[in-house]
Amino acid sequence: MHTHPVLVRENWQIELDEAIRRNDDAGMWEVVARQPDQEEAQEAMATLVSRLAYRIDSRPRFSEMFLLPMIEPAGANVIANEAAWKAASFAVGEALDSWLPKKTAKTVFNGIRPFDWVGTWRPAVLRSHLYRTMPGNDQASITTLSEDIACPDEAPRLGFLCMVLTSDRGWPTLPRANTLADKRLRDVVGFAFHDNAYSTPPTALTPDRVQFAMVDGVCLWLHELDRTCKVLGWSATPIAASADVVKVTLRLDSEQVPLTQFTLRKHQIGLRGVDEVLQMLASLAPVMDAARDAPAKNMRS
């Protein structure tokens, strides 16, 4: 289980936190760019973006977003399926209550959200979900750009269950790794979404902090994708218009979908996370020349 990094509250981190609270993307990256250790700076940014501290009746509250990655097998219909969520939500909620530390306050958002959406969330979108869990806070819907990650029919898909944990005694913590408890949670969540119409239940991982859950989910998805339709080559291209975005292109052994793309955002996973995904890709296939960007479309978060 990943632990919280210890953040020394240096002046630049306070400045970064203030830019995040203003939804000032340019200001965030300007603070980060000034730091000599980019890995540390982007690790701090990934942590701060997914956290929110506030007061209710003069009492402090500490909230953080966590994600549970889920791999949907070919032929299944779990991700962004409202009916599947309604059928599974009670069992999923009970399993989380048993797994999380006692008296942990949680807000689980409806549905399994596609990586196509979550991977393109700007900091303001992630923050809006945190603000929605504050008592009395009325957050308007935010429109964001979403990819359409094209995949062959036989390919698995990646989604995330999103939840916010809140504590009045410091930042929320997850339970220590426990082989039996972790397996039980994964099994219950996976089988809660299992439909007899397809033979294989979805693969669920244990929840983790955003920067770790995103990387774990993407790496597992890439591994499973390579098993079903071989990854023949890949490229990773930073986008000149945004310090945040790395566009990854895959060449697949598929006539139906020979090329596909997805987005990595450094404010979500940091430089370490980007490096882990690229190491996974390097273990699967050689690097190829970069392809042009795929079109994006407007979607609700």
Side-chain angles (χ1 to χ4, degrees), residues 10-74:
E10 298 177 1
N11 288 337
W12 71 268
Q13 292 173 338
I14 296 172
E15 189 178 352
L16 175 60
D17 195 30
E18 290 172 349
I20 291 170
R21 289 174 179 271
R22 295 193 306 267
N23 290 330
D24 180 4
D25 287 10
M28 287 169 45
W29 285 103
E30 193 276 329
V31 174
V32 168
R34 296 201 310 262
Q35 308 315 310
D37 188 336
Q38 283 295 292
E39 186 173 279
E40 178 193 13
Q42 293 193 31
E43 192 82 2
M45 177 171 58
T47 296
L48 292 171
V49 167
S50 61
R51 288 176 166 180
L52 178 66
Y54 56 94
R55 288 183 177 273
I56 298 293
D57 296 330
S58 299
R59 299 184 62 183
R61 294 289 186 274
F62 303 89
S63 295
E64 183 169 356
M65 174 75 78
F66 291 83
L67 302 177
L68 182 156
M70 180 174 289
I71 306 295
E72 175 188 271

Side-chain angles (χ1 to χ4, degrees), residues 61-294:
R61 294 289 186 274
F62 303 89
S63 295
E64 183 169 356
M65 174 75 78
F66 291 83
L67 302 177
L68 182 156
M70 180 174 289
I71 306 295
E72 175 188 271
N77 186 16
V78 170
I79 296 174
N81 184 328
E82 184 177 350
W85 171 251
K86 285 182 177 179
S89 59
F90 182 79
V92 170
E94 281 205 327
L96 286 170
D97 286 338
S98 297
W99 183 79
L100 289 166
K102 293 186 182 300
K103 297 183 179 179
T104 299
K106 74 179 192 308
T107 301
V108 179
F109 295 99
N110 291 338
I112 304 299
R113 304 189 177 207
F115 176 46
D116 312 45
W117 299 2
V118 180
T120 58
W121 282 356
R122 295 174 289 110
V125 176
L126 197 156
R127 301 288 292 181
S128 74
H129 292 311
L130 286 170
Y131 281 115
R132 284 170 56 192
T133 65
M134 287 178 59
N137 190 282
D138 186 16
Q139 279 288 301
S141 296
I142 292 182
T143 300
T144 183
L145 289 179
S146 173
E147 291 182 309
D148 183 5
I149 303 176
C151 288
D153 292 340
E154 68 273 20
R157 290 184 176 273
L158 171 63
F160 294 93
L161 184 151
C162 308
M163 65 180 180
V164 172
L165 302 183
T166 302
S167 170
D168 59 3
R169 299 182 180 180
W171 298 112
T173 59
L174 296 176
R176 293 182 179 180
N178 181 304
T179 302
L180 292 178
D182 294 350
K183 182 179 185 304
R184 180 183 183 278
L185 175 67
R186 295 193 301 267
D187 288 347
V188 170
V189 174
F191 280 102
F193 286 97
H194 189 210
D195 189 314
N196 290 331
Y198 51 93
S199 58
T200 306
T203 300
L205 302 183
T206 50
D208 213 331
R209 302 180 62 231
V210 171
Q211 63 201 102
F212 303 125
M214 286 287 292
V215 172
D216 290 346
V218 170
C219 287
L220 179 58
W221 171 65
L222 289 171
H223 176 75
E224 295 299 317
L225 178 64
D226 184 64
R227 290 179 58 188
T228 56
C229 43
K230 182 67 179 173
V231 177
L232 300 176
W234 62 277
S235 66
T237 309
I239 302 302
S242 173
D244 193 22
V245 176
V246 176
K247 183 73 72 174
V248 177
T249 302
L250 305 178
R251 182 159 63 91
L252 304 177
D253 185 14
S254 168
E255 293 184 1
Q256 182 188 14
V257 183
L259 286 174
T260 191
Q261 290 185 319
F262 64 89
T263 296
L264 298 175
R265 283 190 171 262
K266 288 185 277 186
H267 83 268
Q268 294 180 347
I269 63 176
L271 282 179
R272 293 176 191 170
V274 172
D275 186 59
E276 286 184 40
V277 173
L278 299 189
Q279 286 184 37
M280 168 58 77
L281 285 167
S283 73
L284 300 177
V287 178
M288 65 178 187
D289 291 335
R292 61 184 177 85
D293 289 349

